[in-house]
Amino acid sequence: MSHKQKLINAYLSMVEERIGEGFEGSLLTFMFKDLKGSEAARKARMEDEVNRIYASLLTRFLKDQSKVPLHKWPFFMGCVDWPVHKKVKKAIHGITNNDGMHFGGIYLVPPKTRTAMNLEDVVDRARPQLMRSGILTNVHVKPIKDTPRKAAGYVLKSVDRLRIGSDEILILPRHHSEMSKKGA
């Protein structure tokens, strides 16, 4: 088994373990307006925006993050992605922007949070704040109905297909000290 496949399997196991602990999983898709710059610059802007949204959603699930162990925080794993071209191509929610590049991920909500709402309801309620940067066209939430491993594999398909490197997978939360440096 290659190093890449071992790493992907480790991430898939992380998702499965958390869902086994009672975390509620959803697929998130972030669609963006047409961003200027190189592909690397567009990826960086997308990642920054996903970090901002994670931080915004975090406050809706945890009242005082300093009192909650990191392993009980909402968990996010994602990366940039491109559409799989099918027989019919449609421009839906900005899919043609950025040459189809968008950001997809899995968001896992811990079993004990400050709200009884699921992620889909929280995102709908927070949509005005989430969209305030002006660079998003949509944030789509879909509860995970299939196996967690299948959903996580879907999110990491760009890594598996060697379109991006494993170092481009965004895992949140980051270590507490790293997050405090960034002001998150």
Side-chain angles (χ1 to χ4, degrees):
M1 185 180 297
S2 71
H3 173 71
K4 173 194 68 129
Q5 196 56 50
K6 287 179 185 175
L7 185 64
I8 289 173
N9 282 337
Y11 285 136
L12 300 180
S13 294
M14 286 171 65
V15 170
E16 282 183 319
E17 287 171 19
R18 281 183 171 79
I19 288 184
E21 294 169 2
F23 281 65
E24 181 182 296
S26 296
L27 289 169
L28 283 177
T29 305
F30 302 90
M31 304 305 295
F32 294 84
K33 292 180 179 176
D34 209 18
L35 303 174
K36 304 298 178 212
S38 67
E39 185 173 282
R42 289 181 287 163
K43 285 179 184 178
R45 286 204 57 206
M46 288 179 182
E47 186 172 316
D48 287 346
E49 187 68 3
V50 171
N51 271 299
R52 182 187 70 79
I53 290 172
Y54 175 84
S56 178
L57 292 174
L58 184 63
T59 63
R60 285 155 172 77
F61 291 112
L62 301 179
K63 186 173 184 173
D64 185 357
Q65 293 95 13
S66 66
K67 294 181 179 180
V68 179
L70 206 57
H71 69 277
K72 292 186 178 184
W73 285 30
F75 174 81
F76 178 84
M77 175 185 72
C79 57
V80 294
D81 193 14
W82 289 263
V84 176
H85 296 289
K86 303 203 166 71
K87 291 180 182 177
V88 179
K89 297 178 185 178
K90 291 184 178 181
I92 301 173
H93 301 294
I95 197 80
T96 59
N97 292 343
N98 305 303
D99 300 320
M101 185 172 57
H102 55 281
F103 209 100
I106 289 183
Y107 195 101
L108 302 175
V109 177
K112 292 184 180 178
T113 66
R114 68 188 297 191
T115 180
M117 291 191 297
N118 64 28
L119 182 63
E120 194 169 15
D121 292 338
V122 169
V123 168
D124 283 344
R125 186 172 278 185
R127 194 168 298 278
Q129 183 182 1
L130 299 180
M131 303 298 282
R132 76 168 188 235
S133 68
I135 66 171
L136 287 167
T137 59
N138 192 26
V139 177
H140 180 72
V141 181
K142 182 179 179 185
I144 294 175
K145 302 238 188 270
D146 294 323
T147 64
R149 183 169 278 277
K150 183 177 177 182
Y154 174 77
V155 165
L156 298 177
K157 70 183 180 299
S158 290
V159 177
D160 195 38
R161 294 176 179 161
L162 303 176
R163 182 91 194 244
I164 63 170
S166 57
D167 59 329
E168 295 180 73
I169 300 170
L170 177 63
I171 303 291
L172 299 171
R174 292 189 171 128
H175 188 272
H176 276 294
S177 62
E178 186 178 331
M179 289 187 77
S180 61
K181 288 180 201 171
K182 292 190 171 199

Coordinates of all heavy atoms in Angstrom, one line a residue, residues 63-139:
K63 N -19.8 27.0 23.4 CA -19.9 28.3 24.0 C -18.5 28.8 24.4 O -18.1 30.0 24.1 CB -20.8 28.2 25.3 CG -21.0 29.5 25.9 CD -22.0 29.4 27.0 CE -22.4 30.8 27.6 NZ -23.5 30.7 28.5
D64 N -17.7 28.0 25.1 CA -16.4 28.4 25.5 C -15.4 27.3 25.1 O -15.2 26.3 25.8 CB -16.3 28.6 27.1 CG -15.0 29.2 27.6 OD1 -14.1 29.3 26.8 OD2 -14.9 29.4 28.8
Q65 N -14.7 27.6 24.0 CA -13.8 26.6 23.4 C -12.7 26.2 24.3 O -12.2 25.1 24.3 CB -13.2 27.0 22.0 CG -14.3 27.2 20.9 CD -14.8 28.6 20.8 OE1 -14.2 29.5 21.4 NE2 -15.8 28.8 20.1
S66 N -12.2 27.1 25.1 CA -11.1 26.8 26.0 C -11.4 25.8 27.1 O -10.5 25.2 27.6 CB -10.6 28.1 26.7 OG -11.6 28.6 27.6
K67 N -12.7 25.5 27.3 CA -13.1 24.6 28.3 C -13.4 23.2 27.7 O -13.8 22.3 28.4 CB -14.3 25.1 29.1 CG -14.0 26.3 30.0 CD -15.2 26.7 30.7 CE -14.8 27.9 31.6 NZ -15.9 28.4 32.4
V68 N -13.4 23.1 26.4 CA -13.7 21.8 25.7 C -12.5 21.2 25.1 O -11.7 21.9 24.4 CB -14.8 22.1 24.6 CG1 -15.1 20.8 23.9 CG2 -16.0 22.8 25.2
P69 N -12.2 19.9 25.4 CA -11.1 19.3 24.8 C -11.2 19.3 23.3 O -12.3 19.2 22.8 CB -11.1 17.9 25.4 CG -12.1 17.9 26.5 CD -13.0 19.1 26.3
L70 N -10.1 19.4 22.7 CA -10.0 19.5 21.2 C -10.7 18.3 20.5 O -11.4 18.5 19.5 CB -8.5 19.6 20.7 CG -8.2 20.2 19.4 CD1 -8.7 21.7 19.4 CD2 -6.8 20.2 19.1
H71 N -10.6 17.1 21.0 CA -11.3 16.0 20.4 C -12.8 16.0 20.5 O -13.5 15.2 19.9 CB -10.7 14.7 21.0 CG -11.1 14.4 22.4 ND1 -10.4 14.9 23.4 CD2 -12.1 13.6 22.9 CE1 -11.0 14.5 24.6 NE2 -12.0 13.7 24.2
K72 N -13.3 17.0 21.2 CA -14.8 17.1 21.3 C -15.3 18.3 20.6 O -16.5 18.7 20.6 CB -15.2 17.2 22.8 CG -15.0 15.9 23.6 CD -15.6 16.0 24.9 CE -15.3 14.6 25.6 NZ -16.0 14.6 26.9
W73 N -14.4 19.0 19.8 CA -14.8 20.1 18.9 C -15.4 19.5 17.6 O -15.2 18.4 17.3 CB -13.6 20.9 18.6 CG -13.1 21.8 19.6 CD1 -13.1 21.6 21.0 CD2 -12.3 23.0 19.4 NE1 -12.4 22.6 21.6 CE2 -12.0 23.5 20.7 CE3 -12.0 23.7 18.3 CZ2 -11.3 24.7 20.8 CZ3 -11.3 24.9 18.4 CH2 -10.9 25.3 19.7
P74 N -16.2 20.3 16.9 CA -16.6 19.9 15.6 C -15.3 19.7 14.8 O -14.3 20.3 14.9 CB -17.4 21.2 15.1 CG -17.9 21.8 16.3 CD -16.8 21.6 17.3
F75 N -15.4 18.7 13.9 CA -14.3 18.3 13.1 C -14.6 18.5 11.6 O -15.7 18.3 11.2 CB -14.0 16.8 13.3 CG -13.0 16.2 12.4 CD1 -11.6 16.3 12.8 CD2 -13.3 15.5 11.3 CE1 -10.6 15.7 12.0 CE2 -12.3 14.9 10.5 CZ -11.0 15.0 10.8
F76 N -13.6 19.1 10.9 CA -13.8 19.3 9.5 C -12.6 18.7 8.7 O -11.4 18.9 9.2 CB -13.9 20.8 9.2 CG -14.0 21.1 7.7 CD1 -15.2 21.0 7.1 CD2 -12.9 21.4 6.9 CE1 -15.3 21.3 5.7 CE2 -13.0 21.6 5.6 CZ -14.2 21.6 5.0
M77 N -12.8 18.1 7.6 CA -11.8 17.6 6.8 C -12.2 17.9 5.3 O -13.4 17.5 4.9 CB -11.6 16.1 6.9 CG -10.6 15.5 5.9 SD -10.5 13.7 6.0 CE -12.1 13.2 5.3
G78 N -11.4 18.6 4.6 CA -11.8 18.9 3.2 C -10.6 19.3 2.3 O -9.5 19.5 2.8
C79 N -10.9 19.6 1.1 CA -9.9 20.0 0.1 C -10.6 20.6 -1.1 O -11.8 20.4 -1.3 CB -9.0 18.9 -0.3 SG -9.8 17.4 -0.9
V80 N -9.8 21.2 -2.0 CA -10.4 21.7 -3.2 C -10.8 20.4 -4.1 O -10.2 19.3 -3.9 CB -9.5 22.6 -4.0 CG1 -9.2 23.9 -3.3 CG2 -8.2 21.9 -4.4
D81 N -11.7 20.7 -4.9 CA -12.3 19.6 -5.8 C -12.7 20.2 -7.1 O -12.8 21.4 -7.2 CB -13.4 18.9 -5.1 CG -13.9 17.6 -5.7 OD1 -13.1 17.0 -6.5 OD2 -15.0 17.1 -5.3
W82 N -12.9 19.3 -8.1 CA -13.4 19.7 -9.4 C -14.5 18.8 -9.7 O -14.6 17.6 -9.3 CB -12.3 19.6 -10.4 CG -11.2 20.6 -10.3 CD1 -11.1 21.7 -11.0 CD2 -10.0 20.6 -9.4 NE1 -10.0 22.4 -10.6 CE2 -9.3 21.7 -9.6 CE3 -9.6 19.7 -8.5 CZ2 -8.1 22.0 -9.0 CZ3 -8.4 19.9 -7.8 CH2 -7.7 21.1 -8.0
P83 N -15.4 19.3 -10.5 CA -16.6 18.4 -10.9 C -16.1 17.3 -11.8 O -15.2 17.4 -12.5 CB -17.5 19.3 -11.7 CG -16.6 20.4 -12.2 CD -15.5 20.6 -11.2
V84 N -16.8 16.2 -11.6 CA -16.6 15.0 -12.5 C -17.5 15.3 -13.7 O -18.7 15.4 -13.5 CB -17.0 13.7 -11.8 CG1 -16.8 12.5 -12.7 CG2 -16.1 13.5 -10.6
H85 N -16.9 15.4 -14.8 CA -17.7 15.7 -16.0 C -18.6 14.6 -16.5 O -18.1 13.4 -16.6 CB -16.8 16.2 -17.2 CG -16.1 17.5 -16.8 ND1 -16.8 18.7 -16.8 CD2 -14.8 17.7 -16.5 CE1 -15.9 19.6 -16.4 NE2 -14.7 19.1 -16.3
K86 N -19.8 14.8 -16.6 CA -20.8 13.8 -17.0 C -21.3 14.2 -18.4 O -20.8 15.1 -19.0 CB -21.9 13.7 -16.0 CG -21.4 13.5 -14.6 CD -22.5 12.9 -13.7 CE -21.9 12.3 -12.5 NZ -21.4 13.1 -11.5
K87 N -22.2 13.4 -18.9 CA -22.7 13.7 -20.3 C -23.3 15.1 -20.4 O -23.2 15.7 -21.4 CB -23.7 12.6 -20.7 CG -23.1 11.2 -20.9 CD -24.2 10.2 -21.3 CE -23.6 8.9 -21.4 NZ -24.6 7.9 -21.7
V88 N -24.0 15.5 -19.4 CA -24.6 16.8 -19.4 C -23.9 17.7 -18.4 O -23.7 17.4 -17.3 CB -26.1 16.7 -19.0 CG1 -26.8 18.1 -19.0 CG2 -26.9 15.7 -19.9
K89 N -23.4 18.9 -19.0 CA -22.8 19.9 -18.1 C -23.7 21.0 -17.9 O -24.4 21.5 -18.8 CB -21.5 20.4 -18.9 CG -20.5 19.4 -19.1 CD -19.3 20.0 -19.9 CE -18.3 18.9 -20.3 NZ -17.2 19.4 -21.0
K90 N -23.8 21.4 -16.6 CA -24.7 22.4 -16.2 C -24.0 23.4 -15.3 O -23.1 23.0 -14.6 CB -25.9 21.9 -15.4 CG -26.9 21.1 -16.2 CD -28.1 20.7 -15.3 CE -29.1 19.9 -16.1 NZ -30.2 19.6 -15.3
A91 N -24.3 24.7 -15.4 CA -23.8 25.7 -14.5 C -24.7 25.9 -13.3 O -25.7 26.5 -13.4 CB -23.6 27.0 -15.3
I92 N -24.4 25.2 -12.3 CA -25.2 25.2 -11.1 C -24.4 25.8 -9.9 O -23.4 25.3 -9.6 CB -25.7 23.8 -10.7 CG1 -26.5 23.2 -11.8 CG2 -26.5 23.8 -9.4 CD1 -26.9 21.7 -11.6
H93 N -25.0 26.9 -9.3 CA -24.4 27.5 -8.2 C -22.9 27.8 -8.3 O -22.1 27.5 -7.5 CB -24.6 26.6 -6.9 CG -26.0 26.4 -6.6 ND1 -26.9 27.4 -6.2 CD2 -26.7 25.2 -6.6 CE1 -28.1 26.8 -6.0 NE2 -28.0 25.5 -6.3
G94 N -22.5 28.3 -9.5 CA -21.1 28.7 -9.7 C -20.2 27.6 -10.1 O -19.0 27.8 -10.0
I95 N -20.7 26.4 -10.5 CA -19.8 25.3 -10.8 C -18.9 25.6 -12.0 O -17.8 25.0 -12.1 CB -20.6 24.0 -11.1 CG1 -19.7 22.8 -11.0 CG2 -21.3 24.0 -12.4 CD1 -19.4 22.3 -9.6
T96 N -19.2 26.6 -12.8 CA -18.3 26.9 -13.9 C -17.3 28.0 -13.5 O -16.3 28.2 -14.2 CB -19.1 27.5 -15.1 OG1 -19.8 28.7 -14.7 CG2 -20.0 26.5 -15.7
N97 N -17.5 28.6 -12.4 CA -16.5 29.6 -11.9 C -15.2 28.8 -11.5 O -15.3 27.7 -11.1 CB -17.0 30.3 -10.7 CG -18.1 31.3 -11.0 OD1 -18.4 31.6 -12.1 ND2 -18.9 31.7 -10.0
N98 N -14.1 29.5 -11.6 CA -12.8 29.0 -11.2 C -12.5 27.6 -11.9 O -11.9 26.7 -11.3 CB -12.8 28.8 -9.7 CG -13.1 30.1 -9.0 OD1 -12.4 31.1 -9.2 ND2 -14.1 30.1 -8.2
D99 N -12.9 27.5 -13.2 CA -12.7 26.3 -13.9 C -13.3 25.1 -13.2 O -12.8 24.0 -13.3 CB -11.2 26.0 -14.2 CG -10.5 27.2 -15.0 OD1 -11.2 27.7 -15.9 OD2 -9.4 27.6 -14.7
G100 N -14.4 25.3 -12.5 CA -15.1 24.2 -11.8 C -14.5 23.9 -10.4 O -15.1 23.2 -9.6
M101 N -13.4 24.5 -10.0 CA -12.8 24.3 -8.7 C -13.7 24.8 -7.6 O -14.2 26.0 -7.7 CB -11.4 24.9 -8.6 CG -10.6 24.6 -7.4 SD -8.9 25.1 -7.4 CE -9.0 26.9 -7.7
H102 N -13.9 24.0 -6.6 CA -14.7 24.4 -5.4 C -14.1 23.7 -4.2 O -13.0 23.1 -4.4 CB -16.2 24.0 -5.6 CG -16.4 22.6 -5.9 ND1 -16.2 22.0 -7.2 CD2 -16.7 21.6 -5.1 CE1 -16.4 20.7 -7.2 NE2 -16.8 20.4 -5.9
F103 N -14.7 23.8 -3.1 CA -14.1 23.2 -1.9 C -15.1 22.3 -1.3 O -16.3 22.7 -1.1 CB -13.7 24.3 -0.9 CG -12.6 23.9 0.0 CD1 -11.3 24.4 -0.2 CD2 -12.8 23.1 1.2 CE1 -10.2 24.0 0.6 CE2 -11.7 22.8 2.0 CZ -10.4 23.2 1.7
G104 N -14.8 21.1 -1.0 CA -15.7 20.1 -0.4 C -15.1 19.6 0.9 O -13.9 19.5 1.0
G105 N -16.0 19.2 1.8 CA -15.5 18.6 3.0 C -16.6 17.9 3.8 O -17.7 17.9 3.4
I106 N -16.1 17.3 4.9 CA -17.0 16.7 5.8 C -16.9 17.5 7.1 O -15.8 17.8 7.6 CB -16.6 15.2 6.1 CG1 -16.9 14.4 4.9 CG2 -17.3 14.6 7.3 CD1 -16.6 12.9 5.1
Y107 N -18.1 17.8 7.7 CA -18.2 18.5 8.9 C -18.9 17.6 9.9 O -20.0 17.1 9.6 CB -19.0 19.8 8.7 CG -18.9 20.8 9.9 CD1 -18.0 21.9 9.8 CD2 -19.6 20.6 11.1 CE1 -17.9 22.8 10.8 CE2 -19.4 21.5 12.1 CZ -18.6 22.6 12.0 OH -18.5 23.5 13.0
L108 N -18.2 17.3 11.0 CA -18.8 16.4 12.0 C -19.1 17.2 13.3 O -18.2 17.8 13.9 CB -17.8 15.3 12.4 CG -17.3 14.4 11.2 CD1 -16.2 13.5 11.6 CD2 -18.5 13.7 10.6
V109 N -20.4 17.2 13.7 CA -20.8 17.9 14.9 C -20.8 16.9 16.0 O -21.4 15.8 16.0 CB -22.3 18.4 14.6 CG1 -22.8 19.1 15.9 CG2 -22.3 19.4 13.5
P110 N -20.2 17.3 17.1 CA -20.1 16.4 18.3 C -21.5 16.2 18.9 O -22.4 17.0 18.7 CB -19.2 17.1 19.3 CG -19.1 18.5 18.8 CD -19.5 18.6 17.4
P111 N -21.6 15.1 19.7 CA -22.9 14.8 20.2 C -23.4 15.8 21.2 O -24.6 16.0 21.4 CB -22.8 13.4 20.9 CG -21.3 13.1 20.9 CD -20.6 14.1 20.0
K112 N -22.5 16.5 22.0 CA -23.0 17.5 23.0 C -22.5 18.8 22.5 O -21.3 19.1 22.4 CB -22.4 17.1 24.3 CG -22.9 15.9 24.9 CD -22.4 15.7 26.3 CE -22.9 14.4 26.9 NZ -22.4 14.1 28.2
T113 N -23.5 19.7 22.2 CA -23.2 21.1 21.7 C -24.2 22.0 22.4 O -25.1 21.6 23.1 CB -23.4 21.2 20.2 OG1 -24.7 21.0 19.8 CG2 -22.5 20.3 19.4
R114 N -24.0 23.3 22.2 CA -24.9 24.3 22.8 C -26.2 24.4 22.1 O -27.1 25.1 22.6 CB -24.2 25.6 22.9 CG -23.9 26.3 21.6 CD -23.1 27.5 21.7 NE -23.7 28.6 22.4 CZ -23.3 29.8 22.5 NH1 -22.2 30.2 21.8 NH2 -23.9 30.7 23.2
T115 N -26.4 23.8 21.0 CA -27.6 23.8 20.2 C -28.1 22.5 19.9 O -27.3 21.5 19.7 CB -27.5 24.7 18.9 OG1 -28.7 24.7 18.2 CG2 -26.4 24.1 18.0
A116 N -29.4 22.3 19.8 CA -30.0 21.0 19.4 C -30.2 21.0 17.9 O -30.6 19.9 17.3 CB -31.4 20.8 20.0
M117 N -29.9 22.1 17.2 CA -30.0 22.1 15.7 C -28.9 21.3 15.0 O -27.8 21.2 15.5 CB -30.0 23.5 15.2 CG -31.2 24.4 15.6 SD -31.2 26.0 14.7 CE -29.7 26.8 15.3
N118 N -29.3 20.7 13.9 CA -28.3 20.0 13.1 C -27.5 21.1 12.2 O -27.9 22.2 12.2 CB -28.9 18.9 12.2 CG -29.9 19.5 11.2 OD1 -29.8 20.6 10.7 ND2 -30.9 18.7 10.8
L119 N -26.5 20.6 11.6 CA -25.6 21.5 10.8 C -26.4 22.2 9.7 O -26.2 23.4 9.5 CB -24.4 20.8 10.2 CG -23.4 21.6 9.4 CD1 -22.8 22.7 10.3 CD2 -22.4 20.8 8.8
E120 N -27.3 21.5 9.0 CA -28.0 22.1 7.9 C -28.8 23.3 8.4 O -28.9 24.4 7.8 CB -28.9 21.1 7.3 CG -29.5 21.5 6.0 CD -30.2 20.3 5.3 OE1 -30.5 19.2 5.9 OE2 -30.5 20.4 4.1
D121 N -29.5 23.2 9.6 CA -30.3 24.3 10.2 C -29.4 25.4 10.6 O -29.7 26.6 10.5 CB -31.2 23.8 11.3 CG -32.3 22.8 10.9 OD1 -32.6 22.8 9.7 OD2 -32.7 22.0 11.7
V122 N -28.3 25.1 11.2 CA -27.3 26.1 11.7 C -26.8 26.9 10.5 O -26.8 28.2 10.6 CB -26.2 25.5 12.5 CG1 -25.1 26.5 12.8 CG2 -26.7 24.9 13.8
V123 N -26.4 26.3 9.4 CA -25.9 27.0 8.3 C -27.0 27.8 7.7 O -26.8 29.0 7.3 CB -25.4 26.0 7.2 CG1 -25.1 26.7 5.9 CG2 -24.1 25.4 7.7
D124 N -28.2 27.3 7.6 CA -29.3 28.1 7.0 C -29.6 29.4 7.9 O -29.7 30.5 7.3 CB -30.6 27.3 6.9 CG -30.7 26.3 5.8 OD1 -29.8 26.5 4.8 OD2 -31.5 25.4 5.8
R125 N -29.5 29.2 9.2 CA -29.8 30.4 10.1 C -28.6 31.4 10.0 O -28.8 32.6 10.1 CB -30.0 29.9 11.5 CG -30.3 31.0 12.4 CD -30.7 30.5 13.8 NE -32.1 30.1 13.7 CZ -32.8 29.6 14.7 NH1 -32.2 29.6 15.9 NH2 -34.0 29.2 14.6
A126 N -27.4 30.9 9.8 CA -26.2 31.7 9.8 C -25.8 32.2 8.4 O -24.8 32.9 8.2 CB -25.0 31.0 10.4
R127 N -26.6 31.8 7.4 CA -26.2 32.1 6.0 C -25.8 33.5 5.7 O -24.8 33.8 5.1 CB -27.3 31.6 5.1 CG -26.9 31.5 3.6 CD -27.9 30.8 2.7 NE -28.1 29.4 3.1 CZ -27.3 28.4 2.8 NH1 -26.2 28.6 2.0 NH2 -27.5 27.2 3.2
P128 N -26.6 34.5 6.2 CA -26.2 35.9 5.9 C -24.7 36.2 6.4 O -24.0 36.8 5.7 CB -27.2 36.8 6.7 CG -28.4 35.9 6.8 CD -27.9 34.5 6.9
Q129 N -24.4 35.7 7.6 CA -23.0 36.0 8.1 C -22.0 35.1 7.3 O -20.9 35.6 7.0 CB -22.9 35.6 9.6 CG -21.6 35.9 10.2 CD -21.4 35.6 11.6 OE1 -22.3 35.0 12.2 NE2 -20.2 35.8 12.2
L130 N -22.3 33.9 7.0 CA -21.4 33.1 6.2 C -21.1 33.6 4.9 O -20.0 33.5 4.4 CB -21.9 31.6 6.1 CG -22.2 30.9 7.5 CD1 -22.7 29.5 7.2 CD2 -20.9 30.8 8.3
M131 N -22.1 34.3 4.3 CA -21.9 34.8 2.9 C -21.4 36.2 2.9 O -21.1 36.7 1.8 CB -23.3 34.7 2.2 CG -23.9 33.4 2.1 SD -23.0 32.1 1.2 CE -23.4 32.6 -0.4
R132 N -21.1 36.8 4.0 CA -20.8 38.2 4.0 C -19.5 38.6 3.3 O -19.3 39.7 3.0 CB -20.8 38.7 5.5 CG -19.5 38.3 6.2 CD -19.4 39.0 7.5 NE -18.1 38.7 8.1 CZ -17.9 38.2 9.3 NH1 -18.9 38.0 10.1 NH2 -16.6 37.9 9.6
S133 N -18.6 37.7 3.1 CA -17.3 38.0 2.5 C -17.5 38.4 1.0 O -16.7 39.1 0.4 CB -16.3 36.8 2.5 OG -16.8 35.8 1.7
G134 N -18.6 37.9 0.4 CA -18.9 38.3 -0.9 C -18.3 37.4 -2.0 O -18.5 37.6 -3.2
I135 N -17.5 36.4 -1.6 CA -16.8 35.6 -2.6 C -17.5 34.2 -2.7 O -17.2 33.5 -3.7 CB -15.3 35.4 -2.3 CG1 -15.1 34.6 -1.0 CG2 -14.6 36.7 -2.2 CD1 -13.6 34.2 -0.8
L136 N -18.5 33.9 -1.9 CA -19.2 32.6 -2.0 C -20.4 32.8 -2.8 O -21.1 33.9 -2.8 CB -19.6 32.1 -0.6 CG -18.5 31.5 0.3 CD1 -19.0 31.4 1.7 CD2 -18.0 30.2 -0.3
T137 N -20.8 31.8 -3.6 CA -22.1 31.8 -4.2 C -23.1 30.8 -3.5 O -24.3 31.0 -3.6 CB -22.0 31.3 -5.7 OG1 -21.5 30.0 -5.8 CG2 -21.2 32.3 -6.5
N138 N -22.5 29.8 -2.8 CA -23.4 28.9 -2.1 C -22.6 28.1 -1.1 O -21.4 27.8 -1.3 CB -24.1 27.9 -3.0 CG -25.2 27.2 -2.4 OD1 -25.8 27.6 -1.4 ND2 -25.5 26.0 -3.0
V139 N -23.2 27.7 0.0 CA -22.7 26.7 1.0 C -23.8 25.7 1.0 O -24.9 25.9 1.5 CB -22.4 27.3 2.4 CG1 -22.0 26.2 3.3 CG2 -21.4 28.4 2.3

